[in-house]
């Protein structure tokens, strides 16, 4: 989808590939999407896969690149964090709910391919930085487990009920 900003993702990956040999994993709803781009790196494409396979792909990746322009809540980066994958992302408003630059992700507020490529290259070159983001991403993801969400939802309903008495 255009709002996911695939042009920015491809520009970023092509810049990274100028400095490092990479292999990208694309998960797409439209297999023809990639045909419009010149890709200067190795890649594999997965089309409409089940969530169980998606989690395996997250775990295979060192870095998850997310370039969406606007989201109400950016679930894919949180899924990547839960899978132990470092996240490089654009600021898309919804991600601010949980993502913190240099704590659990590297976030570009400008939606700029040069900034994103630098972040990816930094993570490829610095295992300590990448693993620190992974550790903090796992902590973040646990806060959004279904058990925690359910508990918070029930607590909110109970508080409303108390306030109405």
């Amino acid at each position: 989808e255009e709002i996911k900003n695939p042009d920015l993702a491809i520009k970023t990956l092509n810049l990274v590939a100028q400095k490092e040999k990479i292999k990208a994993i694309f998960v797409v709803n439209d297999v023809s999407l990639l045909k419009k781009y010149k890709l200067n790196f190795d890649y594999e494409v997965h089309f409409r896969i089940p969530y169980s396979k998606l989690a395996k792909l997250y775990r295979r990746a060192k870095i998850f690149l997310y370039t969406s322009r606007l989201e109400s809540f950016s679930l894919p980066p949180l899924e990547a964090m839960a899978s132990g994958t470092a996240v490089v992302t654009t600021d898309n408003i919804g991600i601010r709910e949980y993502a913190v630059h240099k704590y659990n992700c590297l976030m570009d507020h400008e939606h700029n391919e040069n900034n994103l490529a630098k972040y990816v290259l930094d993570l490829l070159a610095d295992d300590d930085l990448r693993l620190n983001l992974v550790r903090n991403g796992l902590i973040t993801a646990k806060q959004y487990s279904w058990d925690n969400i359910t508990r918070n939802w029930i607590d909110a309903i109970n508080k409303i009920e108390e306030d109405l008495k």
Side-chain angles (χ1 to χ4, degrees):
E1 297 175 29
E2 196 60 35
I3 199 158
K4 302 295 184 186
N5 212 354
D7 292 343
L8 180 59
I10 299 302
K11 288 177 186 176
T12 299
L13 293 171
N14 278 334
L15 283 173
V16 170
Q18 289 176 8
K19 307 234 178 189
E20 289 284 333
K21 182 174 169 52
I22 61 169
K23 181 175 184 178
I25 301 170
F26 293 103
V27 178
V28 298
N29 291 326
D30 179 2
V31 288
S32 67
L33 174 70
L34 293 175
K35 291 179 182 171
K36 77 178 207 174
Y37 297 107
K38 178 165 176 29
L39 306 176
N40 299 322
F41 49 86
D42 290 335
Y43 64 93
E44 62 186 68
V45 179
H46 298 269
F47 176 68
R48 295 188 184 187
I49 59 173
Y51 287 114
S52 59
K53 187 172 182 184
L54 184 59
K56 289 177 184 170
L57 291 177
Y58 284 137
R59 287 191 296 275
R60 274 184 47 208
K62 278 189 174 183
I63 300 166
F64 179 75
L65 175 64
Y66 197 64
T67 57
S68 187
R69 289 187 179 106
L70 180 65
E71 298 284 338
S72 59
F73 186 89
S74 294
L75 190 55
L78 189 61
E79 293 170 338
M81 287 178 187
S83 299
T85 305
V87 172
V88 172
T89 185
T90 51
D91 179 3
N92 57 45
I93 299 173
I95 201 163
R96 296 177 194 165
E97 179 70 27
Y98 62 86
V100 179
H101 180 60
K102 294 186 178 177
Y103 171 72
N104 57 15
C105 70
L106 296 179
M107 185 185 316
D108 178 44
H109 298 281
E110 298 172 15
H111 295 242
N112 178 283
E113 64 266 18
N114 292 306
N115 296 343
L116 292 167
K118 180 189 178 316
Y119 290 156
V120 170
L121 289 166
D122 287 349
L123 292 178
L124 290 173
D126 187 343
D127 280 340
D128 289 337
L129 173 61
R130 186 174 55 78
L131 293 174
N132 191 50
L133 294 180
V134 166
R135 275 190 291 280
N136 293 331
L138 288 167
I139 291 167
T140 300
K142 285 179 184 174
Q143 295 170 354
Y144 290 88
S145 70
W146 282 114
D147 288 341
N148 285 341
I149 291 170
T150 303
R151 189 176 320 108
N152 291 339
W153 180 247
I154 291 169
D155 290 347
I157 291 171
N158 288 338
K159 173 132 180 46
I160 292 169
E161 194 174 68
E162 281 296 314
D163 291 347
L164 292 174
K165 288 183 182 178

